[in-house]
């Protein structure tokens, strides 16, 4: 038994739909620009790039129903509705045709973003960490196991703010679908059980303000709601 000099930090985890067990989270990877219309709205050409990735610390996770205090150091907090993939079995250089066998489950998620800090980072050619990986920035709904939902290839993904629809797409419209994302990412790092992958957001991103309730819903996977305090 390892003796730690200070109390060991808690293990980040997310809920599992219909179970008392929790899914332990190791790392959080996120795909940038995975829907063509969103790439265009951010001023990029969706056809020219392979997928790229950034990360959030695992302890930035936020569960359904939580209140997120308006984060510091931003005037422009944005929602990003996304499909979240949970990795159950790891691997490196995973082939696309084997990729889905590594998936444990799926959830709706919200990649909260300090858009003004991200814009500054882009223009200064600096890292995105502080725009993407801040406290309480990784909203994740309860995971739905593959054993109950399979691997949804098409499903409506929506974001509403105070009941008004702001984003709507089908996950089938991803530029890089889940098997391709897993193949690319596992060529960059060895994927491990407990890793989450946020798979990118469609067009329609926008700001959240104090008192807003933001709900991400994916057909067949339920929803995740966050109130901004
Ligand atoms: Mn995102």
């Amino acid at each position: 038994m390892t003796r730690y000099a200070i109390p060991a930090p808690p293990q980040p985890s997310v809920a599992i739909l219909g179970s008392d067990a929790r899914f332990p989270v190791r790392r959080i990877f996120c795909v940038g620009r995975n829907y063509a219309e969103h790439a265009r709205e951010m001023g990029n050409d969706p056809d020219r790039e392979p997928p790229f990735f950034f990360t959030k610390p695992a302890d930035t996770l936020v569960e359904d129903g939580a209140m997120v205090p308006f984060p510091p150091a931003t005037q422009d907090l944005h929602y990003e509705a996304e499909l979240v993939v949970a990795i159950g079995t790891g691997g490196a250089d995973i082939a696309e045709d084997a990729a889905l066998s590594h998936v444990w489950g799926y959830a709706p998620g919200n990649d909260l973003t300090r858009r003004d800090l991200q814009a500054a980072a882009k223009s200064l050619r600096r890292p995105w960490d502080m725009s993407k990986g801040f406290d309480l920035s990784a909203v994740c709904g309860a995971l739905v196991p593959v054993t109950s939902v399979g691997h949804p290839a098409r499903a409506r993904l929506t974001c509403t703010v105070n009941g008004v629809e702001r984003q709507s797409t089908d996950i089938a419209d991803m530029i890089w679908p889940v098997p391709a994302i897993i193949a690319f990412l596992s060529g960059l790092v060895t994927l491990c059980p407990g890793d989450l992958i946020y798979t990118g957001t469609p067009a329609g991103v926008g700001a959240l303000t104090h008192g807003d309730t933001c709900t991400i819903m994916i057909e067949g996977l339920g929803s995740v709601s966050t109130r901004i305090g």
Side-chain angles (χ1 to χ4, degrees):
M1 191 78 172
T2 307
R3 248 174 23 89
Y4 295 106
I6 62 169
Q11 168 66 56
S13 64
V14 291
I16 297 168
L17 201 72
S19 171
D20 291 340
R22 296 183 62 83
F23 186 87
V25 175
R26 179 179 170 120
R27 295 173 294 185
I28 302 175
F29 298 98
C30 307
V31 183
R33 288 170 214 148
N34 201 22
Y35 291 86
E37 283 305 315
H38 174 61
R40 289 190 197 98
E41 80 179 345
M42 299 302 285
N44 299 288
D45 180 345
D47 299 326
R48 291 206 350 221
E49 287 184 303
F52 69 93
F53 300 90
F54 58 91
T55 62
K56 294 174 185 263
D59 64 3
T60 62
L61 279 166
V62 179
E63 296 208 76
D64 180 41
M67 194 274 284
V68 171
F70 195 91
T74 185
Q75 316 281 340
D76 199 20
L77 174 68
H78 274 209
Y79 54 81
E80 294 192 354
E82 311 203 1
L83 171 70
V84 180
V85 176
I87 298 295
T89 54
D93 296 320
I94 297 167
E96 268 190 51
D97 61 8
L100 292 182
S101 69
H102 293 260
V103 176
W104 191 89
Y106 298 93
N110 193 349
D111 167 18
L112 291 175
T113 301
R114 296 194 281 209
R115 192 71 73 200
D116 43 0
L117 295 195
Q118 187 194 31
K122 284 177 178 176
S123 71
L124 295 166
R125 298 170 176 268
R126 287 179 182 166
W128 288 9
D129 302 49
M130 292 300 114
S131 62
K132 286 292 197 178
F134 55 95
D135 296 343
L136 305 179
S137 60
V139 177
C140 189
L143 281 176
V144 185
V146 163
T147 50
S148 73
V149 77
H151 298 282
R154 31 185 72 253
R156 181 72 15 202
L157 164 65
T158 59
C159 171
T160 61
V161 179
N162 305 327
V164 178
E165 188 173 281
R166 299 294 185 84
Q167 291 182 288
S168 178
T169 193
D170 195 291
I171 59 169
D173 291 339
M174 287 186 206
I175 297 170
W176 302 101
V178 172
I181 292 169
I182 290 172
F184 267 104
L185 183 55
S186 68
L188 294 166
V189 294
T190 300
L191 286 177
C192 295
D195 288 339
L196 299 182
I197 307 172
Y198 283 61
T199 57
T201 198
V205 296
L208 294 169
T209 189
H210 304 267
D212 282 348
T213 296
C214 184
T215 301
I216 314 299
M217 192 178 309
I218 302 179
E219 192 186 346
L221 298 178
S223 65
V224 60
S225 283
T226 310
R227 200 168 70 78
I228 305 301

